[in-house]
Amino acid sequence: MIYEIDRNIYRIEVPLAGSPLGILNAYYFRGGEEDFLMDTGFNTAACEASLRKSLASLGYRPERLNIINTHLHADHTGLNHWFLGKGRKIYISETDHQRLLMHYKNAGFKRGDRDQREGASPDLFENMINFGPEKSRRRMEFDEESFVGLEDGGAIDTGACTLRLVLVPGHTPGNAMYYIPEKKVMFTGDHVLFDITPNITFWPGVENSLQDYLSSLEYSKRFEVELALPGHRKPGDYRARIDRILLHHEHRLAEIVGIVGNEPGLNAYEIARRMRWRIHLDENGNFPPAQMWFAAGECMSHLDKLVIDGKVQRVDSKPYITYRLP
Ligand SMILES: [Zn+2]
């Protein structure tokens, strides 16, 4: 499906087969000399075919297409190089730019060491990294020269409008929204989603990513927004949703303190399994491995904040790190 947002600005739904996210929203800006595409989909043949068909129906000009990314995740950046016009640019925050290059070069970004100390058994760990829609990923080509790393407030003139980058770390270390001030339109990426809660995990080199995210949510309230356009699924009420997400994390933090208080000595994976999730368990009543990965990441980002705030204590025990109340 394609929706016209404004003159020369379109929302394109890209189905994400096999992902609970369901739909990625790509946004197409038809400019004068150049065109721009915000976010692209997984690096799979299915996502590519769907997006190409939608863009073709809008009469896009492949050789003139620049790419804009809200953040580094594979469902947003996966098809960048399949759609980038020759000699055109990929705009992304400088922080996510650096992390993305490390990822492409296989030089960073490893979550696994921590997961195996926090309760992921070797079998589960193997399963988790071999599951999920990314399994069908194709070879990733990339050209370092095509990237333009933007700082907070950085502008992109698309011809259809000027977008301003709003840096909102949390979902990723350099996560961004893009704002059109004169239209009060905000492209929220995965910072504010409306019918799912954005996943907040820990990141190597980031001390307290949940706190970063909560601070970014508070900061986001400063912007006047009449139309909020998310990275997945349907648009909604910007301010009401921010308050709802803030409340959600307050409940989550309290829930974890409750679990740790009831059963001291659990590891992060055991805590994650005791939290309430809106997911479909498999036929044995277990977490599907890909979901376990996200749930554990979410749980650990909350534990990090609770430990830093002095509400939960981390114990360096064997074989796993465990938690108890101070
Ligand atoms: Zn994301």
Side-chain angles (χ1 to χ4, degrees):
M1 286 292 280
I2 301 170
Y3 303 83
E4 187 174 10
I5 304 291
D6 204 304
R7 215 175 110 78
N8 292 327
I9 306 177
Y10 300 87
R11 175 165 76 90
I12 300 171
E13 292 188 339
V14 182
L16 300 176
S19 163
L21 295 166
I23 295 273
L24 172 94
N25 293 313
Y27 296 92
Y28 170 60
F29 304 82
R30 184 165 34 218
E33 281 301 296
E34 308 190 37
D35 290 351
F36 290 79
L37 179 66
M38 185 187 292
D39 291 343
T40 55
F42 282 121
N43 184 12
T44 62
C47 282
E48 187 199 346
S50 166
L51 182 54
R52 216 174 272 292
K53 194 168 160 220
S54 297
L55 285 170
S57 77
L58 292 169
Y60 90 118
R61 302 167 295 182
E63 71 291 350
R64 296 193 191 184
L65 199 60
N66 297 277
I67 306 284
I68 300 168
N69 290 136
T70 55
H71 62 292
L72 59 79
H73 277 151
D75 50 333
H76 298 257
T77 58
L79 290 170
N80 279 1
H81 289 86
W82 297 82
F83 282 90
L84 183 69
K86 199 169 176 343
R88 307 289 163 167
K89 296 293 179 195
I90 300 171
Y91 298 85
I92 185 168
S93 79
E94 177 56 16
T95 302
D96 271 20
H97 168 218
Q98 293 304 334
R99 294 230 173 204
L100 195 58
L101 287 185
M102 274 160 51
H103 179 57
Y104 288 165
K105 294 173 179 171
N106 236 329
F109 230 49
K110 301 272 181 281
R111 235 189 83 169
D113 296 347
R114 177 163 176 192
D115 284 78
Q116 300 192 60
R117 278 293 288 133
E118 297 264 9
S121 64
D123 277 4
L124 173 64
F125 185 71
E126 233 356 79
N127 263 332
M128 285 193 299
I129 53 175
N130 289 322
F131 266 78
E134 280 206 69
K135 209 176 36 166
S136 49
R137 264 196 337 181
R138 301 172 294 182
R139 223 182 103 75
M140 172 61 80
E141 305 288 344
F142 73 98
D143 167 17
E144 265 185 70
E145 297 301 306
S146 55
F147 285 96
V148 179
L150 295 174
E151 303 296 340
D152 185 39
I156 306 165
D157 182 4
T158 68
C161 62
T162 298
L163 297 167
R164 295 243 166 230
L165 184 143
V166 179
L167 197 62
V168 280
H171 179 69
T172 62
N175 195 47
M177 303 195 288
Y178 291 94
Y179 189 43
I180 314 177
E182 65 280 8
K183 292 185 195 292
K184 300 189 172 68
V185 171
M186 186 72 91
F187 297 88
T188 65
D190 284 6
H191 179 57
V192 180
L193 297 172
F194 293 92
D195 47 8
I196 27 176
T197 314
N199 179 253
I200 307 300
T201 186
F202 73 89
W203 291 84
V206 177
E207 197 186 13
N208 193 345
S209 58
L210 177 61
Q211 186 55 59
D212 291 348
Y213 180 61
L214 299 176
S215 303
S216 292
L217 282 176
E218 289 292 350
Y219 171 72
S220 309
K221 290 195 209 174
R222 291 188 202 177
F223 295 85
E224 253 190 89
V225 174
E226 279 168 12
L227 179 61
L229 297 162
H232 298 281
R233 305 200 200 172
K234 299 283 183 258
D237 182 332
Y238 180 75
R239 254 172 189 266
R241 185 60 185 152
I242 289 174
D243 286 334
R244 192 76 203 88
I245 297 173
L246 284 166
L247 194 64
H248 164 86
H249 289 290
E250 234 175 79
H251 290 159
R252 272 302 201 208
L253 291 164
E255 182 186 18
I256 292 174
V257 170
I259 293 168
V260 172
N262 278 336
E263 285 182 79
L266 296 176
N267 66 50
Y269 271 72
E270 291 167 327
I271 296 168
R273 287 194 192 92
R274 284 161 175 75
M275 293 166 71
R276 287 184 308 269
W277 303 97
R278 273 192 299 170
I279 60 152
H280 297 291
L281 300 179
D282 70 13
E283 57 275 15
N284 304 317
N286 292 321
F287 264 79
Q291 298 308 308
M292 191 67 235
W293 178 259
F294 290 110
E298 185 90 25
C299 177
M300 285 186 260
S301 73
H302 286 70
L303 284 166
D304 288 346
K305 175 168 164 55
L306 289 168
V307 169
I308 288 167
D309 291 349
K311 293 182 177 149
V312 163
Q313 203 179 343
R314 174 175 282 136
V315 183
D316 194 4
S317 42
K318 292 268 173 329
Y320 300 121
I321 289 167
T322 57
Y323 294 88
R324 66 177 181 214
L325 296 188

